[in-house]
Amino acid sequence: MVVLDATIVNIALPSAQEALHISTADRQWIVTAYTLTFGGLLLLGGRIADYFGRKRTFLIGLLGFAGASALGGAAVNAGTLFAARGLQGLFGALLAPAALSLITVTFTEAKERAKAFGVFGGISGGGAAIGLLAGGVLTEYADWRWCLLVNIPIAILAFAAAVPLVRESKASGDTRYDIPGAVLVTAGQVALVYGFTKAATDGWSSSVTVTWLASAVALLGAFLFWESRTAHPLLPLRVLFDRNRGASYLVSVLLGAGMLGMFLFMTFYLQQTLGWSAMKSGVAYMPFSGGIIAAAVIASRLLPRTGPKILMSVGGVLATAAMVWLTRLDLDSSYAVQILPSFVAMSLGMGLVFVPMSSLALQGVANHDAGVASAMVNTTQQVGGSLGTALLNTIFTTALAGYVTDHAASAASGGAAGAQLLQAHAAIHGYNVAFTASAVLLAVATVVVIVMVRNPKTDATTSTIEAAPAHFG
């Protein structure tokens, strides 16, 4: 539900914009109001789950997410919809780390944990593509509001199952909150995401962009300094600076940024260049969802035997090759020949990476830090996705404008038809340049895996959370 909501509104966005009379300049807030609050508050949400109780936090997150979805589905103006999306991000920041930390402290046996992370990785990896499919179906056959209202029955079912089945657990010992750290890291992440978002619209050199990015650097630097000094850190640096864990977080950022390029620009390509409907575009992503789930099942079975490094390396190479293949798109590329093979290779690669990456990020984490380590997995994915949106959209816009400038003279003789054809070719050029940048990000992620990840087989599937059962309610 949380991952799906990051993408389900994308296809429904034009309908929501028209219905609520949202300006072109403001429509981005339908997406960024969610990602800003979600990414900015995840670390605090992880600590709340650790200290307040993971089951209790999970249940509160479910109810709050459902309520925010109801508010968004009933929105009568832009402000209400933006506020509802922000509230979804807030409760998602409670829900996501609570869910992952519950898995961490519940499944302590190697094979069972591998299976659990296989399910979790498949759902997380496929959620974005499923959101695009669901958005197309609901927008075309029901109403754009159902892209938000669909969360209500999901949340109710999950709540009804969690009350009798999920056991409570919480951290023991020091459970005081690091309020200054929470303020610094939340403000820093919001400034960073917003700065990159503004770069996509105002340019990298604009005073607004530079001010926000400089503020982000200052705030995040102050956060790291504070965390190294305070006795009750929100993010203990031991969680961040473990070699394998740090590598998994870095890979998560790069994958989030790189994969979003495929979703963002492929959706534009299918609908604007090929002229496909929202429904047809959503269906086109189904092989991607299936491939992620299949690869996640395979990875969960192989992980105890191979360790994380081999799976993540192979997955990274597959994903990078798939993105390179997409750089060859033209005005009438065949879905079966050009797009489908890329989707299959990309999904298999991502599935092979997601499962061991999630497990690696939580290996050796003490019960006391399970929530914050879980939150970092989600935080890095959200930050990566947000930064990728701004970075790749800026690259696309620059490439498109440059192509139009370079070829304007030759297109002038063709009149209106020539100008239209020029814009179409410029868009293709922009897509291919953006896909090239995405391929570079995925290649860097693969290099990080090969260079930084250590591969003892037991590392990927065991943990030092021996004390966890003692804290179940």
Side-chain angles (χ1 to χ4, degrees):
M1 186 172 66
V2 172
V3 175
L4 178 145
D5 260 67
T7 59
I8 193 171
V9 299
N10 286 349
I11 290 181
L13 194 150
S15 298
Q17 179 184 359
E18 181 180 357
L20 300 181
H21 309 291
I22 302 172
S23 69
T24 301
D26 289 339
R27 68 184 179 185
Q28 63 163 326
W29 288 106
I30 299 176
V31 176
T32 55
Y34 180 81
T35 57
L36 283 172
T37 51
F38 188 32
L41 296 172
L42 270 169
L43 278 177
L44 182 59
R47 270 308 187 213
I48 291 173
D50 280 338
Y51 298 165
F52 186 63
R54 298 177 181 111
K55 177 179 179 178
R56 192 180 305 171
T57 303
F58 179 77
L59 295 177
I60 292 172
L62 276 173
L63 292 179
F65 204 97
S69 299
L71 177 65
V76 295
N77 54 49
T80 303
L81 180 59
F82 298 159
R85 291 289 285 166
L87 286 173
Q88 279 187 314
L90 185 153
F91 285 106
L94 294 177
L95 187 57
L100 190 53
S101 58
L102 279 170
I103 293 175
T104 304
V105 299
T106 300
F107 298 96
T108 55
E109 194 271 326
K111 286 189 176 181
E112 291 300 313
R113 173 170 289 187
K115 290 179 183 177
F117 277 117
V119 174
F120 189 89
I123 292 172
S124 298
I130 293 170
L132 292 168
L133 173 61
V137 173
L138 292 171
T139 301
E140 190 155 330
Y141 293 108
D143 187 88
W144 68 267
R145 296 179 184 276
W146 277 102
C147 292
L148 296 166
L149 297 175
V150 70
N151 294 315
I152 298 174
I154 297 174
I156 291 173
L157 289 172
F159 187 95
V163 170
L165 296 178
V166 176
R167 293 177 292 178
E168 182 63 280
S169 70
K170 62 174 66 177
S172 59
D174 174 22
T175 57
R176 281 178 282 185
Y177 293 102
D178 174 18
I179 300 302
V183 172
L184 286 170
V185 72
T186 301
Q189 289 180 67
V190 169
L192 184 63
V193 172
Y194 190 70
F196 276 84
T197 301
K198 294 302 290 182
T201 56
D202 297 2
W204 292 101
S205 60
S206 73
S207 59
V208 174
T209 301
V210 172
T211 299
W212 278 104
L213 293 180
S215 299
V217 171
L219 288 165
L220 293 174
F223 168 72
L224 290 176
F225 177 80
W226 173 258
E227 296 303 283
S228 68
R229 295 292 188 271
T230 183
H232 314 288
L234 176 69
L235 174 61
L237 297 186
R238 62 181 178 272
V239 172
L240 188 62
F241 292 144
D242 174 85
R243 176 169 174 159
N244 275 354
R245 200 174 302 123
S248 69
Y249 293 150
L250 181 55
V251 168
S252 180
V253 171
L254 293 168
L255 286 182
M259 189 171 69
L260 195 68
M262 190 273 289
F263 283 124
L264 180 67
F265 296 107
M266 184 54 67
T267 300
F268 284 131
Y269 175 78
L270 294 175
Q271 294 192 32
Q272 295 184 356
T273 301
L274 298 185
W276 289 13
S277 68
M279 174 65 182
K280 188 175 180 180
S281 299
V283 171
Y285 284 104
M286 290 184 69
F288 188 94
S289 303
I292 283 250
I293 295 170
V297 171
I298 294 170
S300 66
R301 293 178 180 175
L302 293 178
L303 183 58
R305 286 177 283 178
T306 66
K309 186 168 187 172
I310 295 175
L311 293 176
M312 293 176 72
S313 299
V314 173
V317 170
L318 273 175
T320 303
M323 195 65 79
V324 170
W325 186 253
L326 285 178
T327 63
R328 303 172 58 188
L329 290 179
D330 55 35
L331 286 176
D332 56 355
S333 292
S334 165
Y335 175 79
V337 175
Q338 188 70 36
I339 300 172
L340 181 58
S342 298
F343 278 6
V344 172
M346 175 77 70
S347 63
L348 293 175
M350 289 296 179
L352 291 177
V353 174
F354 279 136
V355 173
M357 182 186 74
S358 298
S359 181
L360 193 66
L362 296 169
Q363 73 165 51
V365 177
N367 180 55
H368 194 81
D369 294 328
V372 70
S374 303
M376 279 298 293
V377 176
N378 290 284
T379 296
T380 50
Q381 288 175 348
Q382 288 298 312
V383 170
S386 299
L387 300 185
T389 300
L391 173 65
L392 295 171
N393 196 50
T394 300
I395 290 173
F396 168 80
T397 303
T398 304
L400 185 147
Y403 187 95
V404 170
T405 300
D406 293 342
H407 297 81
S410 60
S413 59
Q420 186 176 6
L421 186 62
L422 173 62
Q423 287 294 329
H425 280 292
I428 290 294
H429 175 70
Y431 296 146
N432 290 336
V433 172
F435 287 140
T436 300
S438 294
V440 171
L441 291 170
L442 297 180
V444 172
T446 306
V447 172
V448 169
V449 171
I450 295 171
V451 173
M452 293 187 63
V453 173
R454 292 172 177 166
N455 198 43
K457 293 181 183 179
T458 55
D459 280 0
T461 54
T462 58
S463 171
T464 59
I465 314 182
E466 287 84 4
H471 301 295
F472 288 144

